[in-house]
Amino acid sequence: MATSAAKPETETLRTLPGDDVRQILWRFADRYDLQMLVQSSRSVARGIVAHLVAEGARNTHEWTERKNELLKAYDDAGITAAFMEPEEGGFISGPKNLALSLIAHELAWVDAGAATGSLAGCLALSPIHERGTPEQRQKYMSLAAPAQPGEDRKPWRGAFCLTEPIPYVGVDTGMLNGKVRVAEWNEGEEPMLQVEKRGRFITNMGFANFATAAVDTADERIKSSCIIILEEGDEGVFDRGTPTRKMVHQLSSTSDPIFSLKVPASRIVGGYTLKDGVIVPTYTHSEVIEAVFKRTRVTVAVMTSAKLLSAIEPVIRYQRGRFRGAEQATPGTLRYELGLQQREDVLHRLLDVWAMGEASAALAFAAARCFDVVDPLEKEKTRILAEQGIKGGKSELKFFRSVTKEALEFLDLCAKPEDCRNNVRLLELHENKLVQYAILDSVASVLCPAAKLWNTGKGSVLMREAVSLMGGYGITEDCPGFLGHKWMDSQLEATYEGPEAVQRRNLTVTMTNELFLKQFRNWIIEMRAIAAHKPGTGACTLATAMQLWMWTYNHTQNGTDANGNKLYHGTRQAVTFALADALCWLLASRQQILDAQELEAKGPDNPVVAEGLAGTLQFMTDLCHIQAAKAAGEVARICAELVYGYNRHPAWDEDGYKGCYQEQELEMLEGVIPGFSACATDVIGVDGTHPHKEGPCPSCRGLSGFQRIRNKLDGCLTGVMLAKDRAAESLQTVMIPEALDYPM
Ligand SMILES: Cc1cc2nc3c(=O)[nH]c(=O)nc-3n(C[C@H](O)[C@H](O)[C@H](O)COP(=O)(O)OP(=O)(O)OC[C@H]3O[C@@H](n4cnc5c(N)ncnc54)[C@H](O)[C@@H]3O)c2cc1C
């Protein structure tokens, strides 16, 4: 690539993508309320949060007075109330997944521990919000809402307590040690319950006034497990426990609490009924946490994306200024003007970080938006099912069988050209809320674990790359953008709310939903269509990689290994988890391409974005291409391992010989087809000798479809390195502010 600072021929990125670009990419250009929330969250992040980090507040595990100031800052900025409905003290009505994700993005841009602290309060309230009785919702939301002007009260803070001392909970949430028993039950009075629960690593516990805790029944008069609300003032022990000696996220409070409390049965989240003298909780603890984690993992995914994107500006600044001050680096020389950016490798590695940051943000925000649409549909579904007297398990499954059929019909109709489909039926199905719920929920249920798994897991790997680009500076506390801290912090994001295994397990269930798979097939067509009018986006590469994944998925569904054992099986994580991993790459890349399409469509209407749009668009498109190629490579590797890896390699034995030419046979063929013997590799001599290699080459019978797609995929990489070179030129010329707008 060129190393001169000469003006590039194509349009390049003029400035780093600002708010206006982000509002289009993440689809909140028409949401003034969210734009204000972004601004207020940013002032907290780049104000008190950044100061706390710079002052070394991360050097203590204790929840100090100074850290406690964060809570008031969240209240004042509207962060605490963003989760609530207006009637509960909030200011955003309806679903708030995108709002919470934007808050997480802003706070995690500086410090994800701060973001976690704010979100953990929502997590504590989530069980009550999703499954609580109206009375529970009213009480705890109002208590947790920040004081209104003229009100003299301190808002309540909450903690969510699921994980227990090893060997309980963690990944296997079915195993609970926390117990609930009947303490007193006087005739005609509400039962009083005795709750014993020990938590491990519980966020916000240093100051929480209440905790929503998962407990199992230890009494035959209580039917099942449940989530129960414990308050600070309850009779018994509410011990916050010792602070966790974390090396990460020190701006959130974490400790191992001990609870031994007597509470009324009305604290069971979602309430209970009495049946034959037994307390029957409306929801088991699993049903509640399923509803909670269904969405809240998205915000965790956003945190790691924010870290990657926040690394770009500090790294560019470092690279450019690296040699300034040295005798040989005088203004006007390449050394002075470009610094490390004279070198291709640093530019290309930064592009990898940036591309991953864009893709992961695209995926997480898409998931958040999807939940914003699903949430009201889900409420409608609950209402309709209740109206029809359908409750839980089997009857719901049976009911949804016919809905799924209609949903598949809808998707089939969508994929057909307008003039040769039944548009009346299409409209009818489009207006059917249950059908639309089933379709969107199948996508949301994949996007959430995918974003959590991929953004945090792969993000932490790329965060290391960002740190390495800062050299030794990267692993000092003085590193601008706190990159070293962020690298370590990202490991926690990959751990809590369920580590990788939990997300992969979820995906192995949700990605097999026929509604999801149908849409996935339609997305392949969608990517080809984009590629047709916009080559250079990587959409074509991605479509082929998606095809390869689909082929492999089908192969594993029906195929067996060399021993005749089924490939796709609940206990065969090497297959199911690998396919889940591969899928995530595809989903993130697709979403990034769709976002770039959105920018192309909406950018011209925004005067700020329109200025320099050509360069921004070219750059973002090149990043899509880079990421699609990376995704394709990962998917090809994973799929090839699965497709070939479970066949036993042939050996020089009787069976293996069957696939080889005999020397005499070759001589005969050579007489008929001259030159033939030069193509044969596995030849057995008259005396039984054979070439020095492991064994005859494996036969690929039945795999030609896979080979064809994989070959095509390699060809689809055409142009990607040119895109990288072009994007690298943008890195050399893009303007950045004089200094970071938060302390170092
Ligand atoms: C700072 C911090 C704050 C936290 N805050 C909270 C909180 O507020 N509330 C709360 O309830 N919890 C909280 N947690 C707990 C957190 O959710 C758990 O640490 C997390 O779920 C992982 O569980 P574990 O530590 O038991 O790991 P383990 O379950 O021991 O996992 C270890 C490894 O084994 C893998 N693994 C485990 N089981 C399987 C399996 N079946 N198949 C394949 N692989 C598997 C995992 O993926 C992981 O890589 C917090 C943790 C930390 C560190």
Side-chain angles (χ1 to χ4, degrees), residues 70-131:
L70 281 172
L71 304 181
K72 170 109 186 9
Y74 298 154
D75 293 347
D76 294 345
I79 292 173
T80 316
F83 177 69
M84 294 153 189
E85 298 296 326
E87 61 273 19
E88 296 160 352
F91 50 93
I92 301 173
S93 15
K96 299 167 187 65
N97 300 287
L98 181 56
L100 294 181
S101 295
L102 288 167
I103 293 174
H105 183 264
E106 282 308 321
L107 292 176
W109 187 272
V110 179
D111 184 87
T116 300
S118 97
L119 292 170
C122 307
L123 187 63
L125 286 165
S126 266
I128 302 170
H129 187 265
E130 298 304 324
R131 291 286 179 259

Side-chain angles (χ1 to χ4, degrees), residues 60-62 199-203 205 240-250 252-257:
T60 166
H61 314 295
E62 305 295 327
R200 181 173 64 119
F201 301 158
I202 304 305
T203 309
M205 216 39 244
R240 299 177 187 284
T242 47
T244 309
R245 292 160 61 83
K246 291 181 291 184
M247 295 192 286
V248 292
H249 284 209
Q250 292 95 333
S252 61
S253 146
T254 318
S255 64
D256 298 355

